[in-house]
Amino acid sequence: MTGTTLGVGVIGMSWVAGEHVKAYLANPHCNVVALAGSSATRVAEVASNHGLHDAHQYTDWHELIRDPRVQVVSICSTNELHVPQAVAAAEAGKHVLIEKPVALDHAGFRRVQDAIEHHGVKSQVGFELPWSPYFQSVHTMLNADLFGAIHYA
């Protein structure tokens, strides 16, 4: 990936979007080029807070997905929008980082999965706990069959 810079668009201007922006700004292979949210004032505030003066600002997430400068879409919007936004991003050939939950039901999850697989984009769910030392220890114990058969967790 030497020399490659990915254009990132962030949809949804919640507090978690700010954390995504900070992470992308710390990555020399990423450039936040677009922000989208339902409030123009909030989008401008997030852009200003993070020094994103050149980022395109949208109040319609469809426009962010159509933006040719965007190769990666971070979905930080409200939960009911995750499926349509992830599917639209995958269909546009954009890689996606989807905040949890991916979907509100199994059918929605399958729609996202099918779109990602069909269009050959990469995806990740913003679920940080798998990297927690505690959960890694639990996973190791599960793999060693220390708990026996798990019926519900």
Side-chain angles (χ1 to χ4, degrees):
M1 191 159 146
T2 304
T4 300
T5 301
L6 298 170
V8 177
V10 180
I11 300 175
M13 296 291 100
S14 63
W15 73 268
V16 77
E19 298 305 309
H20 283 235
V21 169
K22 285 187 229 174
Y24 289 123
L25 291 174
N27 185 330
H29 300 290
C30 294
N31 184 22
V32 180
V33 297
L35 301 170
S38 58
S39 162
T41 302
R42 178 67 181 143
V43 174
E45 179 184 351
V46 171
S48 177
N49 288 346
H50 296 285
L52 299 173
H53 307 294
D54 295 329
H56 289 199
Q57 298 178 24
Y58 301 108
T59 55
D60 180 348
W61 61 265
H62 297 92
E63 292 180 35
L64 181 143
I65 289 174
R66 286 191 295 266
D67 187 328
R69 300 186 318 155
V70 173
Q71 289 93 39
V72 177
V73 176
S74 262
I75 299 173
C76 304
S77 56
T78 54
N79 297 343
E80 77 281 358
L81 293 174
H82 291 186
V83 170
Q85 291 170 345
V87 169
E91 288 174 347
K94 316 287 182 171
H95 305 294
V96 291
L97 173 60
I98 310 164
E99 266 304 315
K100 59 192 170 303
V102 172
L104 297 177
D105 58 26
H106 187 70
F109 180 84
R110 289 293 184 209
R111 283 184 51 216
V112 172
Q113 180 183 28
D114 291 346
I116 287 168
E117 289 176 357
H118 180 76
H119 295 283
V121 297
K122 298 192 182 307
S123 66
Q124 177 69 44
V125 178
F127 184 67
E128 70 283 355
L129 293 179
W131 295 279
S132 153
Y134 171 77
F135 281 96
Q136 288 179 344
S137 295
V138 170
H139 185 71
T140 299
M141 289 185 274
L142 286 169
N143 285 341
D145 200 29
L146 295 176
F147 299 120
I150 305 278
H151 298 284
Y152 183 79

